């Protein structure tokens, strides 16, 4: 919940980036985050930038929270996601943007298994696995 608020603090980001980069070692790693391909691991062999439209992301998050048994307000959830997107896209430190060489996938209307298959095709094509 607070990650995007903390991520705009440059001193915190600098310390986190140093620590995150220490995890890079053979045989490799999969890193998930809004600036992994642009800031933390800009030389990664494969960068994937997943997106989906706002309504789809709200629906997915709503389902996740309901499965956990949490009480969820759709209006509040929409506001939270919109605010996070705005913060992350407009911050000066590590803004939310795809890397120039990222594989960009809009998953709005694509089943998760198809997204997985697309990524795995690229992994194999690049000889990563």
């Amino acid at each position: 919940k607070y990650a995007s608020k903390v991520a705009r603090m440059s001193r915190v980001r600098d310390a986190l980036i140093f620590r995150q980069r220490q995890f890079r070692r053979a045989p490799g790693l999969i890193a998930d985050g809004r600036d992994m391909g642009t800031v933390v691991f800009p030389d990664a062999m494969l960068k994937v930038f997943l997106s989906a439209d706002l309504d789809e992301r709200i629906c997915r998050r709503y389902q996740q929270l309901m499965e956990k048994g949490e009480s969820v307000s759709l209006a509040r959830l929409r506001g939270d996601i919109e605010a996070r997107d705005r913060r992350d896209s407009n911050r000066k430190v590590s803004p939310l943007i795809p890397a120039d060489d990222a594989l960009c996938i809009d998953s709005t209307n694509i089943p998760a298994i198809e997204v997985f298959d697309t990524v795995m095709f690229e992994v194999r094509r690049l000889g990563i696995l």
Side-chain angles (χ1 to χ4, degrees):
K1 181 177 181 177
Y2 297 104
S4 76
K5 293 178 181 180
V6 172
R8 62 187 171 177
M9 300 175 191
S10 60
R11 291 178 67 190
V12 173
R13 283 300 307 143
D14 291 344
L16 287 173
I17 289 169
F18 175 78
R19 182 72 177 123
Q20 288 167 315
R21 287 180 179 161
Q22 290 179 323
F23 288 104
R24 184 194 320 219
R25 54 173 104 29
L29 74 132
I30 296 172
D32 174 30
R34 291 183 161 206
D35 65 352
M36 291 294 121
T38 54
V39 176
V40 181
F41 302 111
D43 59 340
M45 293 176 71
L46 175 62
K47 301 170 197 144
V48 179
F49 188 87
L50 293 174
S51 62
D53 72 29
L54 179 63
D55 289 334
E56 180 65 20
R57 291 185 295 126
I58 291 167
C59 180
R60 290 175 186 173
R61 186 66 179 143
Y62 179 82
Q63 289 174 344
Q64 287 175 334
L65 294 172
M66 293 300 288
E67 287 171 7
K68 288 181 175 182
E70 295 184 28
S71 177
V72 184
S73 157
L74 281 173
R76 182 172 177 204
L77 187 57
R78 174 178 291 277
D80 289 349
I81 291 173
E82 286 176 329
R84 180 180 180 201
D85 287 349
R86 194 170 32 259
R87 261 192 323 271
D88 289 354
S89 297
N90 296 312
R91 68 182 180 220
K92 292 179 183 178
V93 177
S94 305
L96 170 62
I97 54 171
D100 291 337
D101 58 343
L103 168 63
C104 295
I105 302 172
D106 181 345
S107 67
T108 301
N109 297 306
I110 303 174
I113 190 65
E114 286 185 35
V115 172
F116 175 80
D117 289 343
T118 300
V119 172
M120 289 308 296
F121 175 83
E122 287 298 308
V123 166
R124 290 183 193 97
R125 185 183 72 77
L126 294 170
I128 298 171
L129 272 184

